[in-house]
Amino acid sequence: MDKEKLQATAMEYMKIWNAGNADLLYKYADSDIIADYTHFEKSYRGIADYKSVLEMTYNFFPDLKITIENLLPDEAEQKITVEWKYDGTHKNGNLFGVESSGKKISVSGITILEIKNGLVIKEKGIVDNLSLLMQLGAI
């Protein structure tokens, strides 16, 4: 896959983080996808397992919207690094010990997508959860 196709795939795939878009996994992710972020207690394997995490995130932030800030494709490795930020409102549930308060948040992160046969087979990333904790008032 060339640089442009890697970028296009990443742009479409990352829309899974927009509230209500978990079903995009069926279109852009391999059925055995592995998703691993530094704040996850474990790696999530398979679409159904990972979809449950996305839906939990949407519950906390039902208006969650991701913005892609930069794409760095690696044609040789068939990987792409995505710099992003997401914005949303904490409307439901207890997150990191903080009850929902209607606070608006904006959080940055980096995700590396590994792509094979046009589908994401691995998603690994880091989220600025310190910033999230501060914005929620947890610290």
Side-chain angles (χ1 to χ4, degrees), residues 53-114:
V53 173
L54 293 171
E55 290 173 342
M56 181 177 57
T57 304
Y58 305 154
N59 181 57
F60 291 126
F61 303 103
D63 60 347
L64 193 72
K65 177 80 172 150
I66 194 162
T67 303
I68 305 302
E69 298 191 327
N70 197 14
L71 296 168
L72 303 164
D74 181 342
E75 287 179 81
E77 295 289 323
Q78 290 296 284
K79 293 181 180 181
I80 187 162
T81 301
V82 183
E83 296 175 26
W84 52 263
K85 76 170 184 140
Y86 68 69
D87 298 286
T89 309
H90 184 206
K91 291 187 178 180
N92 301 302
N94 183 305
L95 182 61
F96 301 120
V98 177
E99 288 297 328
S100 59
S101 63
K103 288 186 178 179
K104 297 222 179 259
I105 54 94
S106 184
V107 179
S108 297
I110 295 174
T111 297
I112 300 169
L113 302 175
E114 187 174 338

Side-chain angles (χ1 to χ4, degrees), residues 24-37:
L24 288 176
L25 284 169
Y26 295 107
K27 185 173 182 180
Y28 298 109
D30 184 82
S31 61
D32 295 321
I33 188 172
I34 298 169
D36 186 23
Y37 280 80

Side-chain angles (χ1 to χ4, degrees), residues 35-37 39-45 49 53:
D36 186 23
Y37 280 80
H39 66 284
F40 286 177
E41 293 178 21
K42 63 174 187 153
S43 293
Y44 290 87
R45 297 182 180 271
D49 198 25
V53 173

